[in-house]
Amino acid sequence: MDNFSLARFAVWAGSNESRFMTFPIEAVRSQFPSLATTDNGQRRIYLDNAAGTQVPQQTIARIVDFFHRFNSNTGVFNPTSVAVDAMYTEAVAAMADFLGTGDTGEVLLGANMTTLTYQLSRSLAHQFAPGDEIIISRMEHEGNVTPWLQMAEDNDLVVKWLEFDRDSWRVEPALLEPLLTERTRLLALNYASNLTGGVNDVKALTAMAQAAGVIVYVDAVQYASHRLIDVTDLGCDFLACSPYKFYGPHLGVVFGKRARLEALHAYKLRCATDDLPLRFSIGTPAFELIAGLLGTLDYFIWLAEKTGEKGERRSQFKAAYAAMGAHEDQLSERLLQGLLSVPGLALQGAPTLQHRVATFSFTHDRYPASAVAQQLSAAGVYCHWGDNYAFEVARALNLDPHEGVLRLGLAHYNTLEEIDQALEMIKATLAT
């Protein structure tokens, strides 16, 4: 385990002697019913978590309970409607704690990250003039690219591309600095690449951009699966994430600074409220999925309590993520070393755990990614291949446009045994 992993383990273990020093993997796995599913007797090894994680029973129970007892629209006086209002309020408050903001008006819930980003890009466009500049990093998932490109096309804006360093596998301040001018209005930046796993220093890049008067919109979808976010510390203007990537239902969440949100032109129905956060809620929210999101946050609290943390909610989120992260680092070290030992395999990302999350992509000098993915999937190792909507990353790395990479994404419910089995199958597939 490297220094980063040791530091994270120390944070998790802390000085509280009541905490478990061994990650409770069997208890964790028991919370995820889908992990027991087999295909004709063959077990599933879920290493496709970068595309979407499995959900715990707390999430499932909350959704089922909603349909059993709380299936109502909102805003009227019957007890069910009042309960739904209270549930929505509690979900927003819990997500505010999860993201690190003390203002529940800064948390927007919507269909998904891409839909919310499209919506906000159209609102932000009202603040820009023809000839203004926006910067988009080459590390982005397409959900943080196309909305801005189309906004620029519609409003005669200038698009600048921010490259990532091929040695550090992240955006370096020296690459951003020359792009900032007095006409720069927006920086679209991700926290972690969904293809390379590289993690950007968002706090430093945000400070640099904001010093030039630039709005910073962060895609934290891949990051939120592995490490806890603190929007107050980051200082960014907007930050998007997707609960289905961190053990929740299919929803999108965007944090936006209150001053930024209040200044936006809101595309909404005339009779809809101007109050935050519902000002940006288009149509009836998916209340059953929002109930499920509360279940996911319940799960993190359950895990925190298993590690001995019984403090306030934000502290419990920190404890859960520290425990998950320490376990993931052990899995990542085993997988990384195994992949690097395979002849002909080229890792598309940093060869160490520093400045990365547990998302690993590779190509092979003889086998296309689709062929490898097909064989692994047949053997029960769930994985993804292609550009994974990291279109600009794939082009920057000169990847085969039809094949892209073979991608493995780890989660804290994976085991070392699963990693070893997956490596055996990968090596056997690439040795034939």
Side-chain angles (χ1 to χ4, degrees):
M1 196 183 300
D2 67 7
N3 290 337
F4 176 79
S5 305
L6 289 170
R8 182 141 63 168
F9 183 82
V11 170
W12 168 45
S15 59
N16 187 341
E17 294 181 359
S18 68
R19 290 184 176 179
F20 291 101
M21 298 302 290
T22 301
F23 187 70
I25 183 61
E26 292 305 322
V28 163
R29 289 179 65 84
S30 73
Q31 303 302 299
F32 290 83
S34 61
L35 299 186
T37 304
T38 60
D39 297 304
N40 296 321
Q42 178 176 269
R43 67 177 294 192
R44 298 176 177 179
I45 299 178
Y46 288 100
L47 298 185
D48 59 343
N49 300 296
T53 51
Q54 302 305 299
V55 299
Q57 61 186 7
Q58 291 89 339
T59 302
I60 298 167
R62 284 271 196 173
I63 294 174
V64 171
D65 188 52
F66 175 86
F67 284 120
H68 279 170
R69 299 192 297 135
F70 300 111
N71 192 9
S72 172
N73 212 321
T74 184
V76 293
F77 299 118
N78 70 67
T80 305
S81 181
V82 171
V84 171
D85 283 336
M87 182 274 293
Y88 187 94
T89 299
E90 174 59 14
V92 172
M95 273 306 301
D97 286 341
F98 179 84
L99 293 170
T101 173
D103 185 347
T104 57
E106 296 183 329
V107 178
L108 310 181
L109 305 181
N112 51 66
M113 174 269 182
T114 303
T115 297
L116 283 170
T117 301
Y118 262 114
Q119 181 182 352
L120 291 170
S121 71
R122 270 45 190 172
S123 294
L124 278 163
H126 286 261
Q127 300 180 6
F128 305 150
D132 283 347
E133 301 167 355
I134 65 171
I135 300 172
I136 306 173
S137 95
R138 294 276 190 198
M139 282 182 65
E140 303 308 299
H141 180 282
E142 199 63 16
N144 203 29
V145 175
T146 301
W148 307 115
L149 290 180
Q150 292 176 343
M151 180 192 73
E153 182 180 5
D154 292 344
N155 295 276
D156 296 322
L157 307 179
V158 176
V159 177
K160 292 183 175 180
W161 290 99
L162 173 59
E163 303 296 334
F164 61 92
D165 186 278
R166 302 306 191 272
D167 294 320
S168 66
W169 292 91
R170 59 182 190 161
V171 172
E172 298 295 346
L175 296 172
L176 173 60
E177 185 175 14
L179 300 183
L180 296 169
T181 74
E182 61 181 14
R183 296 300 301 271
T184 309
R185 298 291 178 262
L186 177 94
L187 168 63
L189 176 71
N190 72 11
Y191 212 154
S193 169
N194 74 312
L195 191 148
T196 70
V199 174
N200 284 319
D201 187 347
V202 169
K203 183 176 181 178
L205 295 168
T206 293
M208 179 183 297
Q210 290 178 340
V214 176
I215 297 170
V216 180
Y217 193 99
V218 177
D219 171 6
V221 170
Q222 199 67 201
Y223 188 90
S225 308
H226 305 285
R227 302 177 195 170
L228 191 63
I229 294 163
D230 188 338
V231 293
T232 301
D233 181 62
L234 293 175
C236 55
D237 298 282
F238 298 93
L239 181 141
C241 59
S242 300
Y244 80 96
K245 296 290 181 75
F246 56 86
Y247 317 104
H250 280 262
L251 287 169
V253 178
V254 168
F255 156 82
K257 286 182 177 178
R258 176 174 284 273
R260 290 292 185 193
L261 294 174
E262 290 178 339
L264 286 181
H265 174 89
Y267 285 93
K268 66 182 185 65
L269 301 182
R270 291 179 298 172
C271 50
T273 182
D274 279 323
D275 295 335
L276 291 173
L278 290 171
R279 183 172 183 237
F280 291 91
S281 182
I282 299 177
T284 302
F287 290 118
E288 68 277 15
L289 301 183
I290 293 168
L293 175 58
L294 261 178
T296 299
L297 301 178
D298 289 341
Y299 166 73
F300 292 140
I301 292 171
W302 170 87
L303 180 56
E305 291 176 349
K306 293 292 286 185
T307 69
E309 177 57 62
K310 302 183 185 298
E312 51 89 24
R313 188 157 55 193
R314 176 69 180 177
S315 295
Q316 290 185 304
F317 291 151
K318 288 180 180 178
Y321 263 77
M324 293 189 298
H327 179 68
E328 284 184 8
D329 286 344
Q330 294 182 52
L331 301 177
S332 294
E333 184 66 35
R334 182 76 64 90
L335 178 62
L336 188 57
Q337 293 307 311
L339 292 176
L340 292 174
S341 70
V342 177
L345 185 150
L347 187 70
Q348 302 298 325
T352 70
L353 296 188
Q354 188 176 26
H355 306 312
R356 68 145 51 245
V357 293
T359 301
F360 301 90
S361 297
F362 65 84
T363 54
H364 193 265
D365 60 5
R366 289 187 296 125
Y367 292 96
S370 60
V372 180
Q374 188 171 21
Q375 291 200 47
L376 292 180
S377 297
V381 178
Y382 284 32
C383 57
H384 267 250
W385 66 278
D387 63 26
N388 298 292
Y389 281 77
F391 181 64
E392 288 295 333
V393 182
R395 292 209 304 182
L397 296 175
N398 295 314
L399 300 177
D400 184 318
H402 302 293
E403 291 294 331
V405 296
L406 188 293
R407 185 180 69 179
L408 305 173
L410 309 186
H412 72 286
Y413 47 60
N414 290 130
T415 67
L416 286 171
E417 178 188 18
E418 288 180 330
I419 301 304
D420 289 341
Q421 291 179 355
L423 284 170
E424 286 182 14
M425 295 174 193
I426 290 169
K427 291 176 181 178
T429 298
L430 298 179
T432 56

